[in-house]
Amino acid sequence: MPADLSVDTPVVTRFAPSPTGYLHIGGGRTALFNWLYARGRGGKFLLRIEDTDRARSTPEATAAILRGLEWLGLDWDGEPVSQFERADRHAEVARDMLARGAAYKCFSTQEEIEAFREAARAEGRSTLFQSPWRDADPATFPDAPYVIRLKAPRTGETVIADEVQGDVTFRNDQLDDMVCLRSDGTPTYMLAVVVDDHDMGVTHVIRGDDHLTNAARQTQVYQAMEWDVPVFAHIPLIHGPDGKKLSKRHGALGVEEYQAMGYPSAGMRNYLARLGWSHGDDEFFTDAQAKAWFDLKGIGRAPARLDFKKLENLCGQHIAAGEDAALLHELEAYLAAAGKPALTQGQREGLARGMYCLKERAKTFPELLEKAHFVLTDRPIDADPKAAKALDTVSRGILSELTPQLQSASWTRDALEAVVAGVAETHGLGLGKLAGPLRAALAGRTVTPSVFDMMLVIGRDETIARLDDAAGPNAEAPEAQPGARA
Ligand code: GLU
């Protein structure tokens, strides 16, 4: 735990997206880090929608972000906070700063500010605006619109003790007196963030390092209000596999796109957690492990690179390790998200029976569904061209020889193996030689779960019916091959 935290200070983290689009994979990771940090410490994880930019914020974007978080399984405490709705409170704090002498009214017009900058440029001075109103006598105040500016320190340094970046020092003479309240009475974003984080009791601000410079200005606001500065952890952004800044050409950027591609959310969480954070050599881990292990020290300083192979590999492990009922539930959510038809009751039951073998070696839900074709499809099974090749006359004859024996076999893996092995042996064939025709008959495919698993999952009647269908009405048991019988 960070040194400044006592047992009495519960951890409060937050995710503060701007609702201007979908939940970006980088935002998803930021949310995950905040969630893991809070949940691993019995703390709170809050959600704040930074919707002050009225022109760019939309309710659709907010809904998409919430959906993305829900899919990722990142539950937040309480209701999401709307930053816009808190504008009065932000303005109140600006006036409080004014009253404390930590801020001042600035009556400079845009033209005056421009003129200041031009003159500064011409004289080779810093173009950071220095307001003439900073120390002005209120008796000289005109009856004109004004903004409230922070009376930021002009000398010395503002240091961010960042948990990821280390101490980051900003020279105060390079930070201007930022506007906190505009002349129309609306708060600026920079003020709003600090007031909200303070009021929400946020103890740890974990966010992208594109906000590092903001942290310096925000720290000055905390200091002006004599509020505790939260622990900052600015995490490097995600890069594409080529090491370049992540962009559309690297593939999917929206969290929901990953859902629609059929990645399981546990795998996605595991992968995103590893994207920029590590715990020894651990690659595959559960949520419980991630919560127990996650800390700010394990976050790397270099940008993490997207690696789809690794994502798939972890997703495959999570599907294999998943609980059958939970997988079925998530599979159905995937079908809905991907706009595919919902399962029928029969298909659902078949999947529930077969999940134990379907979940092996499927990296995504589409792969799992492909393996599940034999439970999703109905008789007569339409064999694809490759599978159909396995159903030659000889094979069909062997299948018809199998059915009476299956009729009386007990329906266990051992018994089924014994029956099939017996028939194969009669024809001088290895068990493997019968797998092709059986796969074709039972699933119409060449890549399927084991034939015995398929038989166990669909049951005796359906197995026999499918074998009969494949054998055809006139199929006859072929002559045993010479020398086959001992
Ligand atoms: N709304 C900001 C963003 O979406 C985040 C601000 C913050 O985390 O402090 O980038």
PDB file of all heavy atoms in Angstrom, residues 306-330:
ATOM      1  N   LEU A 306      -0.051  -3.590 -28.095  1.00  0.00           N
ATOM      2  CA  LEU A 306      -1.137  -4.553 -28.315  1.00  0.00           C
ATOM      3  C   LEU A 306      -0.567  -5.805 -28.954  1.00  0.00           C
ATOM      4  O   LEU A 306       0.269  -5.733 -29.851  1.00  0.00           O
ATOM      5  CB  LEU A 306      -2.156  -3.964 -29.290  1.00  0.00           C
ATOM      6  CG  LEU A 306      -3.377  -3.236 -28.780  1.00  0.00           C
ATOM      7  CD1 LEU A 306      -4.346  -3.041 -29.932  1.00  0.00           C
ATOM      8  CD2 LEU A 306      -4.069  -4.016 -27.666  1.00  0.00           C
ATOM      9  N   ASP A 307      -1.043  -6.942 -28.493  1.00  0.00           N
ATOM     10  CA  ASP A 307      -0.533  -8.201 -29.019  1.00  0.00           C
ATOM     11  C   ASP A 307      -1.730  -9.161 -29.109  1.00  0.00           C
ATOM     12  O   ASP A 307      -2.154  -9.738 -28.110  1.00  0.00           O
ATOM     13  CB  ASP A 307       0.540  -8.720 -28.050  1.00  0.00           C
ATOM     14  CG  ASP A 307       1.103 -10.065 -28.462  1.00  0.00           C
ATOM     15  OD1 ASP A 307       0.493 -10.738 -29.320  1.00  0.00           O
ATOM     16  OD2 ASP A 307       2.150 -10.450 -27.908  1.00  0.00           O
ATOM     17  N   PHE A 308      -2.267  -9.275 -30.309  1.00  0.00           N
ATOM     18  CA  PHE A 308      -3.502 -10.042 -30.478  1.00  0.00           C
ATOM     19  C   PHE A 308      -3.309 -11.533 -30.207  1.00  0.00           C
ATOM     20  O   PHE A 308      -4.207 -12.209 -29.743  1.00  0.00           O
ATOM     21  CB  PHE A 308      -4.096  -9.795 -31.861  1.00  0.00           C
ATOM     22  CG  PHE A 308      -4.704  -8.432 -31.988  1.00  0.00           C
ATOM     23  CD1 PHE A 308      -3.972  -7.376 -32.506  1.00  0.00           C
ATOM     24  CD2 PHE A 308      -5.996  -8.185 -31.564  1.00  0.00           C
ATOM     25  CE1 PHE A 308      -4.516  -6.098 -32.595  1.00  0.00           C
ATOM     26  CE2 PHE A 308      -6.554  -6.918 -31.640  1.00  0.00           C
ATOM     27  CZ  PHE A 308      -5.808  -5.875 -32.158  1.00  0.00           C
ATOM     28  N   LYS A 309      -2.103 -12.035 -30.514  1.00  0.00           N
ATOM     29  CA  LYS A 309      -1.819 -13.461 -30.243  1.00  0.00           C
ATOM     30  C   LYS A 309      -1.965 -13.743 -28.756  1.00  0.00           C
ATOM     31  O   LYS A 309      -2.531 -14.755 -28.351  1.00  0.00           O
ATOM     32  CB  LYS A 309      -0.379 -13.798 -30.669  1.00  0.00           C
ATOM     33  CG  LYS A 309      -0.235 -14.210 -32.110  1.00  0.00           C
ATOM     34  CD  LYS A 309      -0.029 -15.734 -32.194  1.00  0.00           C
ATOM     35  CE  LYS A 309      -0.467 -16.404 -33.453  1.00  0.00           C
ATOM     36  NZ  LYS A 309      -1.589 -15.878 -34.188  1.00  0.00           N
ATOM     37  N   LYS A 310      -1.405 -12.841 -27.979  1.00  0.00           N
ATOM     38  CA  LYS A 310      -1.447 -13.021 -26.533  1.00  0.00           C
ATOM     39  C   LYS A 310      -2.888 -12.906 -26.025  1.00  0.00           C
ATOM     40  O   LYS A 310      -3.307 -13.675 -25.152  1.00  0.00           O
ATOM     41  CB  LYS A 310      -0.579 -11.946 -25.894  1.00  0.00           C
ATOM     42  CG  LYS A 310      -0.252 -12.185 -24.469  1.00  0.00           C
ATOM     43  CD  LYS A 310       0.989 -11.387 -24.140  1.00  0.00           C
ATOM     44  CE  LYS A 310       0.996 -10.979 -22.700  1.00  0.00           C
ATOM     45  NZ  LYS A 310       2.135 -10.144 -22.379  1.00  0.00           N
ATOM     46  N   LEU A 311      -3.610 -11.976 -26.604  1.00  0.00           N
ATOM     47  CA  LEU A 311      -5.020 -11.822 -26.235  1.00  0.00           C
ATOM     48  C   LEU A 311      -5.766 -13.128 -26.489  1.00  0.00           C
ATOM     49  O   LEU A 311      -6.493 -13.638 -25.636  1.00  0.00           O
ATOM     50  CB  LEU A 311      -5.650 -10.677 -27.040  1.00  0.00           C
ATOM     51  CG  LEU A 311      -7.181 -10.578 -26.994  1.00  0.00           C
ATOM     52  CD1 LEU A 311      -7.645 -10.227 -25.585  1.00  0.00           C
ATOM     53  CD2 LEU A 311      -7.688  -9.523 -27.976  1.00  0.00           C
ATOM     54  N   GLU A 312      -5.549 -13.700 -27.672  1.00  0.00           N
ATOM     55  CA  GLU A 312      -6.260 -14.937 -28.026  1.00  0.00           C
ATOM     56  C   GLU A 312      -5.847 -16.079 -27.118  1.00  0.00           C
ATOM     57  O   GLU A 312      -6.663 -16.879 -26.686  1.00  0.00           O
ATOM     58  CB  GLU A 312      -5.954 -15.310 -29.474  1.00  0.00           C
ATOM     59  CG  GLU A 312      -6.482 -14.280 -30.436  1.00  0.00           C
ATOM     60  CD  GLU A 312      -6.855 -14.867 -31.775  1.00  0.00           C
ATOM     61  OE1 GLU A 312      -6.192 -15.846 -32.176  1.00  0.00           O
ATOM     62  OE2 GLU A 312      -7.797 -14.347 -32.394  1.00  0.00           O
ATOM     63  N   ASN A 313      -4.564 -16.137 -26.862  1.00  0.00           N
ATOM     64  CA  ASN A 313      -4.064 -17.206 -26.025  1.00  0.00           C
ATOM     65  C   ASN A 313      -4.699 -17.146 -24.626  1.00  0.00           C
ATOM     66  O   ASN A 313      -5.185 -18.146 -24.095  1.00  0.00           O
ATOM     67  CB  ASN A 313      -2.536 -17.048 -25.955  1.00  0.00           C
ATOM     68  CG  ASN A 313      -1.897 -18.120 -25.135  1.00  0.00           C
ATOM     69  OD1 ASN A 313      -2.177 -18.226 -23.946  1.00  0.00           O
ATOM     70  ND2 ASN A 313      -1.065 -18.918 -25.761  1.00  0.00           N
ATOM     71  N   LEU A 314      -4.731 -15.954 -24.054  1.00  0.00           N
ATOM     72  CA  LEU A 314      -5.324 -15.812 -22.715  1.00  0.00           C
ATOM     73  C   LEU A 314      -6.824 -16.092 -22.759  1.00  0.00           C
ATOM     74  O   LEU A 314      -7.372 -16.714 -21.852  1.00  0.00           O
ATOM     75  CB  LEU A 314      -5.067 -14.403 -22.164  1.00  0.00           C
ATOM     76  CG  LEU A 314      -3.631 -14.146 -21.723  1.00  0.00           C
ATOM     77  CD1 LEU A 314      -3.425 -12.670 -21.371  1.00  0.00           C
ATOM     78  CD2 LEU A 314      -3.278 -15.021 -20.523  1.00  0.00           C
ATOM     79  N   CYS A 315      -7.466 -15.638 -23.836  1.00  0.00           N
ATOM     80  CA  CYS A 315      -8.906 -15.863 -23.936  1.00  0.00           C
ATOM     81  C   CYS A 315      -9.203 -17.357 -24.015  1.00  0.00           C
ATOM     82  O   CYS A 315     -10.156 -17.839 -23.401  1.00  0.00           O
ATOM     83  CB  CYS A 315      -9.474 -15.119 -25.144  1.00  0.00           C
ATOM     84  SG  CYS A 315      -9.626 -13.354 -24.821  1.00  0.00           S
ATOM     85  N   GLY A 316      -8.379 -18.084 -24.758  1.00  0.00           N
ATOM     86  CA  GLY A 316      -8.550 -19.533 -24.845  1.00  0.00           C
ATOM     87  C   GLY A 316      -8.430 -20.178 -23.472  1.00  0.00           C
ATOM     88  O   GLY A 316      -9.225 -21.048 -23.101  1.00  0.00           O
ATOM     89  N   GLN A 317      -7.479 -19.714 -22.703  1.00  0.00           N
ATOM     90  CA  GLN A 317      -7.304 -20.291 -21.364  1.00  0.00           C
ATOM     91  C   GLN A 317      -8.487 -19.953 -20.460  1.00  0.00           C
ATOM     92  O   GLN A 317      -8.886 -20.757 -19.619  1.00  0.00           O
ATOM     93  CB  GLN A 317      -6.018 -19.763 -20.739  1.00  0.00           C
ATOM     94  CG  GLN A 317      -4.757 -20.240 -21.444  1.00  0.00           C
ATOM     95  CD  GLN A 317      -3.523 -19.796 -20.682  1.00  0.00           C
ATOM     96  OE1 GLN A 317      -3.341 -20.148 -19.532  1.00  0.00           O
ATOM     97  NE2 GLN A 317      -2.673 -19.027 -21.340  1.00  0.00           N
ATOM     98  N   HIS A 318      -9.023 -18.763 -20.630  1.00  0.00           N
ATOM     99  CA  HIS A 318     -10.161 -18.396 -19.784  1.00  0.00           C
ATOM    100  C   HIS A 318     -11.421 -19.148 -20.183  1.00  0.00           C
ATOM    101  O   HIS A 318     -12.230 -19.502 -19.320  1.00  0.00           O
ATOM    102  CB  HIS A 318     -10.392 -16.884 -19.801  1.00  0.00           C
ATOM    103  CG  HIS A 318      -9.486 -16.167 -18.850  1.00  0.00           C
ATOM    104  ND1 HIS A 318      -9.768 -16.029 -17.517  1.00  0.00           N
ATOM    105  CD2 HIS A 318      -8.271 -15.614 -19.039  1.00  0.00           C
ATOM    106  CE1 HIS A 318      -8.773 -15.399 -16.914  1.00  0.00           C
ATOM    107  NE2 HIS A 318      -7.852 -15.129 -17.824  1.00  0.00           N
ATOM    108  N   ILE A 319     -11.584 -19.394 -21.482  1.00  0.00           N
ATOM    109  CA  ILE A 319     -12.757 -20.184 -21.890  1.00  0.00           C
ATOM    110  C   ILE A 319     -12.619 -21.592 -21.323  1.00  0.00           C
ATOM    111  O   ILE A 319     -13.548 -22.136 -20.724  1.00  0.00           O
ATOM    112  CB  ILE A 319     -12.922 -20.187 -23.425  1.00  0.00           C
ATOM    113  CG1 ILE A 319     -13.380 -18.799 -23.903  1.00  0.00           C
ATOM    114  CG2 ILE A 319     -13.939 -21.253 -23.853  1.00  0.00           C
ATOM    115  CD1 ILE A 319     -13.606 -18.673 -25.409  1.00  0.00           C
ATOM    116  N   ALA A 320     -11.434 -22.174 -21.472  1.00  0.00           N
ATOM    117  CA  ALA A 320     -11.227 -23.544 -20.987  1.00  0.00           C
ATOM    118  C   ALA A 320     -11.454 -23.632 -19.479  1.00  0.00           C
ATOM    119  O   ALA A 320     -11.962 -24.631 -18.973  1.00  0.00           O
ATOM    120  CB  ALA A 320      -9.815 -24.011 -21.343  1.00  0.00           C
ATOM    121  N   ALA A 321     -11.074 -22.581 -18.767  1.00  0.00           N
ATOM    122  CA  ALA A 321     -11.192 -22.610 -17.304  1.00  0.00           C
ATOM    123  C   ALA A 321     -12.575 -22.143 -16.841  1.00  0.00           C
ATOM    124  O   ALA A 321     -12.896 -22.224 -15.661  1.00  0.00           O
ATOM    125  CB  ALA A 321     -10.128 -21.710 -16.679  1.00  0.00           C
ATOM    126  N   GLY A 322     -13.383 -21.653 -17.783  1.00  0.00           N
ATOM    127  CA  GLY A 322     -14.670 -21.075 -17.391  1.00  0.00           C
ATOM    128  C   GLY A 322     -15.644 -22.106 -16.847  1.00  0.00           C
ATOM    129  O   GLY A 322     -15.556 -23.301 -17.133  1.00  0.00           O
ATOM    130  N   GLU A 323     -16.566 -21.606 -16.080  1.00  0.00           N
ATOM    131  CA  GLU A 323     -17.608 -22.458 -15.518  1.00  0.00           C
ATOM    132  C   GLU A 323     -18.678 -22.615 -16.615  1.00  0.00           C
ATOM    133  O   GLU A 323     -19.038 -21.635 -17.288  1.00  0.00           O
ATOM    134  CB  GLU A 323     -18.154 -21.746 -14.284  1.00  0.00           C
ATOM    135  CG  GLU A 323     -18.825 -22.629 -13.293  1.00  0.00           C
ATOM    136  CD  GLU A 323     -20.275 -22.232 -13.161  1.00  0.00           C
ATOM    137  OE1 GLU A 323     -20.541 -21.018 -13.078  1.00  0.00           O
ATOM    138  OE2 GLU A 323     -21.116 -23.152 -13.194  1.00  0.00           O
ATOM    139  N   ASP A 324     -19.186 -23.841 -16.812  1.00  0.00           N
ATOM    140  CA  ASP A 324     -20.045 -24.119 -17.962  1.00  0.00           C
ATOM    141  C   ASP A 324     -21.250 -23.175 -18.071  1.00  0.00           C
ATOM    142  O   ASP A 324     -21.522 -22.616 -19.128  1.00  0.00           O
ATOM    143  CB  ASP A 324     -20.539 -25.579 -17.926  1.00  0.00           C
ATOM    144  CG  ASP A 324     -19.395 -26.559 -18.137  1.00  0.00           C
ATOM    145  OD1 ASP A 324     -18.245 -26.102 -18.307  1.00  0.00           O
ATOM    146  OD2 ASP A 324     -19.646 -27.784 -18.116  1.00  0.00           O
ATOM    147  N   ALA A 325     -21.973 -23.017 -16.967  1.00  0.00           N
ATOM    148  CA  ALA A 325     -23.191 -22.197 -17.026  1.00  0.00           C
ATOM    149  C   ALA A 325     -22.838 -20.735 -17.332  1.00  0.00           C
ATOM    150  O   ALA A 325     -23.527 -20.062 -18.105  1.00  0.00           O
ATOM    151  CB  ALA A 325     -23.945 -22.295 -15.704  1.00  0.00           C
ATOM    152  N   ALA A 326     -21.753 -20.264 -16.747  1.00  0.00           N
ATOM    153  CA  ALA A 326     -21.348 -18.871 -16.975  1.00  0.00           C
ATOM    154  C   ALA A 326     -20.940 -18.676 -18.431  1.00  0.00           C
ATOM    155  O   ALA A 326     -21.240 -17.652 -19.048  1.00  0.00           O
ATOM    156  CB  ALA A 326     -20.206 -18.498 -16.040  1.00  0.00           C
ATOM    157  N   LEU A 327     -20.275 -19.670 -18.989  1.00  0.00           N
ATOM    158  CA  LEU A 327     -19.860 -19.574 -20.396  1.00  0.00           C
ATOM    159  C   LEU A 327     -21.075 -19.511 -21.308  1.00  0.00           C
ATOM    160  O   LEU A 327     -21.119 -18.730 -22.254  1.00  0.00           O
ATOM    161  CB  LEU A 327     -18.988 -20.771 -20.777  1.00  0.00           C
ATOM    162  CG  LEU A 327     -17.542 -20.738 -20.280  1.00  0.00           C
ATOM    163  CD1 LEU A 327     -16.870 -22.075 -20.544  1.00  0.00           C
ATOM    164  CD2 LEU A 327     -16.763 -19.610 -20.945  1.00  0.00           C
ATOM    165  N   LEU A 328     -22.063 -20.346 -20.996  1.00  0.00           N
ATOM    166  CA  LEU A 328     -23.271 -20.365 -21.813  1.00  0.00           C
ATOM    167  C   LEU A 328     -23.960 -18.994 -21.756  1.00  0.00           C
ATOM    168  O   LEU A 328     -24.396 -18.450 -22.773  1.00  0.00           O
ATOM    169  CB  LEU A 328     -24.211 -21.472 -21.323  1.00  0.00           C
ATOM    170  CG  LEU A 328     -25.502 -21.656 -22.108  1.00  0.00           C
ATOM    171  CD1 LEU A 328     -25.232 -21.819 -23.589  1.00  0.00           C
ATOM    172  CD2 LEU A 328     -26.278 -22.869 -21.583  1.00  0.00           C
ATOM    173  N   HIS A 329     -24.001 -18.456 -20.572  1.00  0.00           N
ATOM    174  CA  HIS A 329     -24.611 -17.144 -20.368  1.00  0.00           C
ATOM    175  C   HIS A 329     -23.874 -16.082 -21.206  1.00  0.00           C
ATOM    176  O   HIS A 329     -24.473 -15.284 -21.912  1.00  0.00           O
ATOM    177  CB  HIS A 329     -24.521 -16.817 -18.882  1.00  0.00           C
ATOM    178  CG  HIS A 329     -25.229 -15.568 -18.508  1.00  0.00           C
ATOM    179  ND1 HIS A 329     -26.588 -15.483 -18.459  1.00  0.00           N
ATOM    180  CD2 HIS A 329     -24.756 -14.331 -18.201  1.00  0.00           C
ATOM    181  CE1 HIS A 329     -26.927 -14.255 -18.113  1.00  0.00           C
ATOM    182  NE2 HIS A 329     -25.834 -13.541 -17.965  1.00  0.00           N
ATOM    183  N   GLU A 330     -22.561 -16.124 -21.148  1.00  0.00           N
ATOM    184  CA  GLU A 330     -21.775 -15.121 -21.880  1.00  0.00           C
ATOM    185  C   GLU A 330     -21.872 -15.341 -23.394  1.00  0.00           C
ATOM    186  O   GLU A 330     -21.883 -14.396 -24.174  1.00  0.00           O
ATOM    187  CB  GLU A 330     -20.313 -15.145 -21.417  1.00  0.00           C
ATOM    188  CG  GLU A 330     -19.573 -13.924 -21.922  1.00  0.00           C
ATOM    189  CD  GLU A 330     -18.169 -13.739 -21.357  1.00  0.00           C
ATOM    190  OE1 GLU A 330     -17.770 -14.520 -20.464  1.00  0.00           O
ATOM    191  OE2 GLU A 330     -17.479 -12.829 -21.838  1.00  0.00           O
TER     192      GLU A 330
END
